[in-house]
């Protein structure tokens, strides 16, 4: 039995078969880059490194058909989730969101809509509109939170607070949309205590998914400067594995783990390179949990975990 609740298991539980997420670039911008909040972005950001289509935008329809063709041929996948990933995918008016999202209706293979965004880029109208897809699709919004610590959020130039996230989260749950939270482990000034406090706070929320991201340095980011000036320390594989396991032990077992470690393009990644060996990182995490004989949620203190422990 797996010691943590994978997103694949969650999807199989709903659809009875493998479901593949297709990463899309819908051409949205970000208020932290376009000057609305700031022009410099988060200190670790170089958005070119993330998405497959960034830099040479193709029409969404083309992005989707190419990916479906690829995964159906390679892995025999029949069902897909359209994952609007690049930049802030609710940073537009409702009519513009509709123009972009509606493309999924052209593909009967698409069973889900997943939207990645910032917590300060949603409001009641947008969430009400997005919740309309609940009728035909599995709908998720993934919020980039990174940490619940406001001092660190300011330090990494997120230009939003934990309270902004809480507001967006409550509104999103009000419209019965699944919430995924994106957290970064190893941020500057994030001590072990701070990260465990993140785990404790997150474990008390009614979220459906959690995505881990390891702090890494991308060429062209502000973090590159800090790293070269030796002002930032990066985690070793061993440290990361221990930390993810400590985190998992404190998160309710019902929260699906969307990802255990991030990867980045070799063209942009400066350090640490070990993170791109995803298979090894996941294996090490599994080994560590096995060694501890522990499972996701074993040390979870939230009310939702009571009476659910092994
Ligand atoms: S919110 Fe995302 S896209 Fe915007 S600056 Fe931060 S990391 Fe980059």
């Amino acid at each position: 039995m797996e010691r943590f609740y994978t997103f694949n298991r969650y999807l199989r539980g709903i659809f009875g078969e493998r479901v593949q997420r297709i990463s899309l670039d819908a051409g949205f911008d970000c208020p932290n880059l376009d000057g609305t909040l700031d022009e410099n972005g988060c200190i670790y950001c170089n958005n070119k490194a993330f998405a497959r289509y960034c830099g040479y935008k193709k029409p969404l329809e083309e992005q989707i058909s190419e990916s479906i063709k690829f995964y159906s041929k390679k892995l025999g996948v029949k069902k897909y989730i359209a994952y609007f990933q690049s930049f802030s995918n609710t940073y537009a008016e409702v009519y513009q969101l509709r123009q972009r999202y509606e493309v999924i209706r052209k593909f009967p293979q698409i069973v889900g809509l997943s939207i990645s965004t910032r917590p300060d880029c949603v409001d009641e109208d947008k969430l009400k509109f997005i919740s309309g897809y609940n009728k035909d699709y599995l709908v998720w919004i993934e919020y980039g939170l990174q940490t619940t610590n406001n001092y660190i959020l300011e330090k990494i130039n997120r230009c939003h607070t934990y309270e902004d996230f809480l507001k967006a989260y409550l509104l999103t749950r009000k419209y019965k949309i699944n919430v995924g939270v994106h957290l970064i482990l190893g941020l500057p000034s994030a001590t072990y205590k701070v990260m465990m406090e993140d785990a404790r706070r997150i474990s008390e929320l009614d979220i459906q998914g959690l995505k881990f991201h390891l702090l890494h340095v991308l060429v062209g980011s502000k973090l590159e400067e800090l790293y070269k000036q030796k002002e930032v320390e990066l985690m070793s594989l061993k440290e990361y594995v221990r930390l993810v396991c400590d985190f998992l032990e404190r998160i309710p077992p019902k929260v699906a783990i969307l990802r255990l470690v991030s990867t980045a393009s070799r063209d942009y990644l400066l350090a640490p390179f070990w993170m791109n060996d995803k298979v090894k990182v996941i294996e090490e995490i599994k080994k560590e949990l096995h060694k501890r004989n522990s499972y996701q949620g074993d040390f979870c203190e939230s009310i939702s975990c009571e009476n659910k422990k092994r």
Side-chain angles (χ1 to χ4, degrees), residues 63-286:
Q63 295 180 41
I64 295 173
S65 15
E66 277 185 10
S67 292
I68 290 182
K69 205 169 148 196
F70 175 80
Y71 287 112
S72 62
K73 199 171 162 203
K74 193 178 169 206
L75 303 167
V77 180
K78 296 188 192 77
K79 292 187 173 149
Y80 298 85
I81 291 177
Y83 180 31
F84 289 79
Q85 184 179 21
S86 302
F87 296 89
S88 304
N89 291 278
T90 54
Y91 186 44
E93 299 298 325
V94 168
Y95 80 91
Q96 292 165 310
L97 301 183
R98 181 180 286 112
Q99 279 169 357
R100 262 88 152 204
Y101 303 160
E102 275 297 292
V103 69
I104 65 175
R105 298 207 185 268
K106 295 186 179 170
F107 297 87
Q109 306 95 318
I110 293 184
V111 294
L113 172 66
S114 181
I115 299 162
S116 168
T117 194
R118 290 170 53 92
D120 55 359
C121 288
V122 291
D123 58 31
E124 188 110 27
D125 287 348
K126 290 178 192 177
L127 292 170
K128 196 170 170 187
F129 161 67
I130 292 169
S131 71
Y133 288 97
N134 273 334
K135 195 159 64 72
D136 303 312
Y137 298 93
L138 174 72
V139 183
W140 278 70
I141 296 188
E142 269 182 38
Y143 287 111
L145 170 62
Q146 325 312 2
T147 173
T148 67
N149 185 294
N150 281 337
Y151 169 75
I152 298 173
L153 284 173
E154 198 180 332
K155 207 166 164 171
I156 62 175
N157 201 39
R158 278 295 293 180
C159 297
H160 69 69
T161 61
Y162 179 47
E163 289 69 32
D164 291 329
F165 163 79
L166 288 176
K167 206 169 130 203
Y169 148 76
L170 287 171
L171 210 49
T172 311
R173 292 305 293 142
K174 175 180 154 188
Y175 285 101
K176 301 197 175 0
I177 299 168
N178 296 298
V179 171
V181 173
H182 184 282
L183 285 181
I184 301 183
L185 301 184
L187 285 167
S189 304
T191 57
Y192 178 78
K193 203 172 154 200
V194 164
M195 289 186 272
M196 289 303 103
E197 179 61 8
D198 281 344
R200 191 193 64 74
R201 286 179 170 175
I202 291 296
S203 73
E204 286 175 350
L205 305 178
D206 175 29
I207 63 161
Q208 288 61 53
L210 184 59
K211 192 177 221 176
F212 292 105
H213 184 101
L214 163 74
L215 184 75
H216 56 270
V217 185
L218 297 175
V219 175
S221 65
K222 170 80 182 158
L223 199 63
E224 179 184 4
E225 279 170 44
L226 299 174
Y227 178 66
K228 287 183 171 164
Q229 288 158 7
K230 302 204 182 316
E231 285 183 34
V232 174
E233 268 188 52
L234 300 175
M235 267 190 274
S236 67
L237 170 61
K238 207 169 164 185
E239 286 167 330
Y240 185 71
V241 166
R242 281 190 191 151
L243 194 62
V244 169
C245 293
D246 291 349
F247 223 105
L248 288 171
E249 288 169 345
R250 286 159 179 80
I251 294 299
K254 66 174 174 43
V255 173
I257 304 304
L258 300 163
R259 186 179 70 196
L260 284 172
V261 68
S262 37
T263 53
S265 156
R266 272 305 284 248
D267 296 341
Y268 298 100
L269 182 63
L270 210 63
F273 289 120
W274 59 259
M275 66 181 251
N276 273 352
D277 191 349
K278 201 172 174 163
V279 175
K280 182 170 178 194
V281 180
I282 294 171
E283 265 321 298
E284 292 297 321
I285 291 169
K286 286 180 179 169

